[in-house]
Amino acid sequence: MNDTLEKPRALVLVPCRKMDDDDDDVPQLSPHTLAALQEFYLEQQQREGMKTSQGFNQYSVGSIEEDWQLSQFWYSDETASCLANEAVAAAGKDGKIACISAPSVYQKLKEQDGKDFSVCILEYDRRFSVYGEEFVFYDYNNPLNLPENLLPHSFDIVVADPPYLSEECLQKTAETIKYLTKGKILLCTGRIFILKRINFL
């Protein structure tokens, strides 16, 4: 599996001043920041164009835009496909897959045929409720507050990408993972937390 997952890109606004300008109090973006902002707006326009096109797929990565306020950063198509394929292989025929805070992996799984596996998404963002019964509202602050139909050790594999790189988020997400999985886990995280997460699981 490719271990070089995308890291969130941050847009930092740094005011700079024109030396020959009389009004030094007007903040301006550096050329690098301005180029990054223009690239972001262009990508946003392209996504909106895809949504209005006739070939729009509600399961394609990016069909629901990432919300930085919720610490959402989608995987690239390549990474999401790789993770989805690993999950399907690990789940086996007629396997059950749970995606915890990993909506782009869920979307890639739904783009596949899906005859050989079932999948659900546990997600805080209620916009994903458009996926119907496969959507389960999930708040890592209440890791075992799950519907009755999600039985202990009922998933062949759990794919998880905790939304925050904090020890608290890690511990609570690990509680959910241990409750749901029969044993297989595909955990996506920052390198700093890998050893800690292994200890929690």
Side-chain angles (χ1 to χ4, degrees):
M1 186 174 82
N2 182 357
D3 63 348
T4 57
L5 302 177
E6 287 77 38
K7 298 298 176 201
R9 292 183 290 172
L11 178 62
V12 179
L13 302 179
V14 180
C16 61
R17 297 181 181 153
K18 288 184 178 178
M19 299 310 253
D20 58 350
D21 208 349
D22 290 339
D23 190 0
D24 288 339
D25 294 335
V26 177
Q28 296 197 2
L29 301 176
S30 71
H32 184 275
T33 304
L34 183 58
L37 185 60
Q38 289 171 333
E39 179 183 354
F40 169 77
Y41 284 136
L42 180 62
E43 288 174 3
Q44 194 173 34
Q45 287 175 342
Q46 289 171 343
R47 280 193 302 270
E48 289 302 315
M50 285 175 42
K51 287 182 181 180
T52 58
S53 71
Q54 290 180 342
F56 176 69
N57 177 354
Q58 72 169 347
Y59 294 113
S60 65
V61 174
S63 61
I64 296 177
E65 292 182 26
E66 55 195 9
D67 182 343
W68 296 354
Q69 298 300 317
L70 295 176
S71 190
Q72 293 175 333
F73 304 95
W74 299 164
Y75 297 124
S76 69
D77 277 341
E78 179 184 356
T79 300
S81 291
C82 179
L83 293 170
N85 292 337
E86 291 291 329
V88 170
K93 186 165 175 56
D94 299 322
K96 288 181 68 176
I97 304 169
C99 295
I100 301 175
S101 304
S104 51
V105 176
Y106 168 82
Q107 290 169 323
K108 276 297 172 190
L109 287 165
K110 292 301 291 182
E111 283 183 351
Q112 296 186 16
D113 189 350
K115 290 180 183 174
D116 293 336
F117 62 89
S118 62
V119 62
C120 75
I121 177 172
L122 289 82
E123 175 60 51
Y124 183 81
D125 187 345
R126 293 189 188 271
R127 293 179 299 164
F128 290 95
S129 65
V130 298
Y131 298 139
E133 293 179 5
E134 292 178 348
F135 169 79
V136 175
F137 176 76
Y138 174 72
D139 182 351
Y140 78 87
N141 290 300
N142 300 300
L144 298 179
N145 185 13
L146 301 169
E148 291 179 7
N149 64 327
L150 292 186
L151 300 173
H153 313 294
S154 57
F155 288 89
D156 296 291
I157 185 166
V158 174
V159 180
D161 185 359
Y164 301 102
L165 291 176
S166 71
E167 196 164 316
E168 176 192 27
C169 181
L170 166 63
Q171 287 178 318
K172 291 181 176 181
T173 303
E175 283 183 57
T176 309
I177 293 169
K178 287 189 283 189
Y179 176 82
L180 292 175
T181 188
K182 291 179 181 177
K184 295 179 184 174
I185 301 165
L186 181 53
L187 187 61
C188 307
T189 185
R191 292 176 188 223
I192 295 171
F193 283 90
I194 289 174
L195 292 176
K196 287 185 179 183
R197 290 187 181 195
I198 289 170
N199 291 333
F200 290 137
L201 296 169

